[in-house]
Amino acid sequence: METNRLRQFCILCETQNLRKAAELVNLSHSAFHKSLQVLQGELGVALYKVNGRHIVITPEGKVFLEKAKKFLEAERSFLSFEKTQEDSYRIATHETFSSYLIASNWGKYFENVGLSCRELLPGRIEEAVLSGIVDLGVTYEPIPRAGVDFIKITQVEMRVYALKGAFEKLDFKEIPFVSPIDPLDTLPTGARGLDGWPETLFQRKVLYRVDLLSTAMGLVTSGRCAIFIPDFVANVHNAFSSKKLARIPTPLGMKKVYRNLTLVHREGAGESSELRKIAKMLRVESH
């Protein structure tokens, strides 16, 4: 019996909807349904019944749900370890935070604590926290998962930046942009990508698509395109580079875009001194 199927069943119980639960675990509806059919076949009981667009948990399913929760909690406890002051603190996050917020300020807040940082996409961050691979996640886009809690730290405003002096005489719709290469269709906010640009409201001319923010910044600092980033990314870049970035006004009528900076931690783990210190670092240094 695969542990992931236990998590899938717990998420189904939370959402009461097969399609929504499938989206949250990044599976197609058919693949999710098949996975749970395998689970029920292994157990020899029906865990739920379909009722229109929703599902009804059977009495056997309710009993199994409590057992699954206890098993997953035991697994998390087994995989987690108390850290000494000299150990590395393990974080999963996006490159935006790892390179321009966490790494640049870690020593200021954690003088004698190492850092182990994994750069993952939404959904994978929550999985890493659940499995105990990391101690904490930092994200723009929290994906609901059974067994994880979220703490909203602050909001950051997203703005358009380009190399200083570039595109000053161009109409906004003619400015070339760089954006994340892969759209993310199941984000709770409805954003299509990690940069959060409101594609359905304002189209932009995307000429470059990349995986890494560092690649995107290389294109921007060479004067080839603009980028949609939070202020702290531009501020950190401008502090260490002679190729300064400057804001470009957004189109008239476009509302300001804010992203929630959110911590992801294991349910019931409590707020450790490290978590509180990381929350303070993110809150202070992102503004």
Side-chain angles (χ1 to χ4, degrees), residues 87-92 106 114-118 133-136:
D87 285 338
S88 291
Y89 200 80
R90 304 168 302 169
I91 296 176
W106 188 260
L115 174 63
S116 176
C117 196
R118 294 174 181 265
I133 293 174
V134 298
D135 304 299
L136 191 70

Side-chain angles (χ1 to χ4, degrees), residues 198-210:
E199 299 285 357
T200 57
L201 299 178
F202 288 90
Q203 294 293 317
R204 54 180 170 170
K205 182 181 178 181
V206 178
L207 190 59
Y208 304 98
R209 298 184 185 275
V210 300

Side-chain angles (χ1 to χ4, degrees), residues 160 172 177 192 195-199 202-204 228 250-251 254:
V160 178
F172 189 88
F177 271 80
R192 291 277 296 167
D195 67 355
W197 182 266
E199 299 285 357
F202 288 90
Q203 294 293 317
R204 54 180 170 170
F228 194 51
T250 51
M254 177 173 166

